[in-house]
């Protein structure tokens, strides 16, 4: 059920990526896809009644071995979230640059203006 | 209990992403994407990943600020009208195909709550949980992996962020190099 819901979230992002013509909307759909993938990776490592993978004075070694959530996908997803932010910042910089040049965020209008410049 | 909570949060996230994609105003799309990110942060908290929840909140706030910066420059205009029929049909076909791929591949995973690391022989996660505290001295196993077992990954992440910052500066600077009209150098070389 939960895996299906994350894939639905991914598909919503994919549909938006393919249909939208506004650069801001395309950036938004990329970030939707990112969050769906991150959620799926963390869900795969979840255990029923799982504990956070932090060892305290009150958790014995056996208990953490038996109940801890998988820490490995979590560590990788931390990396992926931060990289997602920097990719988004780069996309926004490109969008701003395009807006300075063409005065619009719509891809179709940008294409039209490019063709007008050529002729 | 955990599962039903997670299901409700995921349904909330799906609704907010649909709203974000199909509203006409850019600013409400951005607010909806913020709702999606904070819902994800709560989901991480429930799934036993406090580090991820904190990181997600920080990243979400920063990306909201960036996106609002983009829209404020436009003066809150409405987006232009939507897509042609053929484009929607092609996108629907691609989405349908991908959903079939998902439906086939998701059956290979164990049921929810049964971690994959328990099914794999010699899974690295088991090693990290067993010897993480002993060999690194970090009581938080996620930081033990990030900064010790897989430190090269973190180094690569820093490189990616640095490159993105360089690209952003190069794209957004106001003053470029001055090129006079009679220069020998063509524009493509210096740009």
């Amino acid at each position: 059920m939960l895996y299906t819901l994350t894939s639905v979230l991914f598909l919503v992002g994919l549909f938006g990526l393919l249909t939208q013509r506004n650069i801001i909307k395309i950036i938004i759909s990329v970030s939707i896809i990112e969050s769906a993938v991150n959620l799926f990776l963390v869900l795969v490592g979840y255990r029923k009644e799982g504990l956070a993978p932090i060892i305290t004075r009150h958790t014995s070694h056996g208990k953490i071995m038996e109940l801890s959530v998988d820490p490995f996908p979590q560590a990788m997803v931390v990396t992926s979230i931060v990289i997602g932010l920097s990719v988004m910042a780069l996309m926004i910089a490109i969008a701003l640059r395009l807006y300075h040049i063409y005065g619009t965020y719509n891809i179709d209008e940008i294409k039209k203006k490019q063709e007008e410049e050529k002729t | 209990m955990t599962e039903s909570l997670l299901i409700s949060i995921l349904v909330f996230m799906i609704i907010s992403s649909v709203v974000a994609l199909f509203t006409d105003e850019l600013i409400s799309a951005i607010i909806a994407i913020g709702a999606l990110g904070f819902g994800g942060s709560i989901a991480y908290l429930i799934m036993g990943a406090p580090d991820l929840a904190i990181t997600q909140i920080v990243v979400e706030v920063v990306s909201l600020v960036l996106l609002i910066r983009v829209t404020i420059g436009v003066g809150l205009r409405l987006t232009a009208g939507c897509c042609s029929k053929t484009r929607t049909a092609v996108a629907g076909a691609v989405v349908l195909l991908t959903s079939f791929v998902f439906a086939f591949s998701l059956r290979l995973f164990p049921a929810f709550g049964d971690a994959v690391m328990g099914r794999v022989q010699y899974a690295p996660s088991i090693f990290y949980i067993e010897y993480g505290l002993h060999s690194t001295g970090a009581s938080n196993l996620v930081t033990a992996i990030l900064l010790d077992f897989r430190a090269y990954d973190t180094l690569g992440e820093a490189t990616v962020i640095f490159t993105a910052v360089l690209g952003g500066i190069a794209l957004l600077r106001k003053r470029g190099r001055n090129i006079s009209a009679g220069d020998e150098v063509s524009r493509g070389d210096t740009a």
Side-chain angles (χ1 to χ4, degrees), chain B residues 23-101:
Chain B
T23 49
D24 280 340
E25 280 177 80
L26 280 181
I27 195 82
S28 46
I30 287 165
I31 289 167
I33 211 72
L36 176 108
F38 290 122
S41 165
I42 296 172
Y44 290 139
L45 205 58
I46 292 170
M47 282 187 284
D51 314 86
L52 272 177
I54 295 166
T55 317
Q56 174 79 20
I57 284 184
V58 173
V59 162
E60 205 51 46
V61 169
V62 173
S63 67
L64 273 184
V65 169
L66 285 174
L67 278 173
I68 286 177
R69 162 73 185 83
V70 173
T71 30
I72 289 295
V74 192
L76 301 183
R77 263 208 322 228
L78 299 179
T79 55
C82 197
C83 16
S84 65
K85 273 210 173 107
T86 51
R87 188 178 298 282
T88 316
V90 169
V94 171
V95 166
L96 210 65
L97 213 70
T98 323
S99 69
F100 279 128
V101 173

Side-chain angles (χ1 to χ4, degrees), chain B residues 165-180:
Chain B
V165 168
L166 280 185
I169 291 173
L171 281 168
L172 288 182
R173 62 181 173 185
K174 285 269 157 55
R175 286 192 308 179
R177 204 174 295 167
N178 246 339
I179 303 169
S180 52

Side-chain angles (χ1 to χ4, degrees), chain A residues 41-110:
Chain A
L41 286 178
V42 180
L43 273 177
V44 159
Y46 184 76
R47 272 181 185 171
K48 274 251 157 66
E49 312 292 321
L51 295 172
I54 298 171
I55 300 166
T56 60
R57 205 169 294 161
H58 306 290
T59 47
S60 65
H61 185 71
K63 197 176 168 194
I64 220 68
M65 276 303 287
E66 200 177 324
L67 282 179
S68 163
V69 173
D70 194 347
F72 189 30
Q74 290 189 15
M76 294 298 106
V77 167
V78 167
T79 313
S80 145
I81 289 176
V82 177
I83 286 180
L85 174 69
S86 63
V87 167
M88 190 182 195
L90 195 57
M91 284 194 289
I92 285 174
I94 293 172
L96 271 177
R97 187 78 183 157
L98 280 174
Y99 188 78
H100 282 313
I101 296 173
Y102 294 108
T104 173
Y105 279 132
N106 194 313
I107 289 183
D108 290 332
E109 288 177 25
I110 289 175

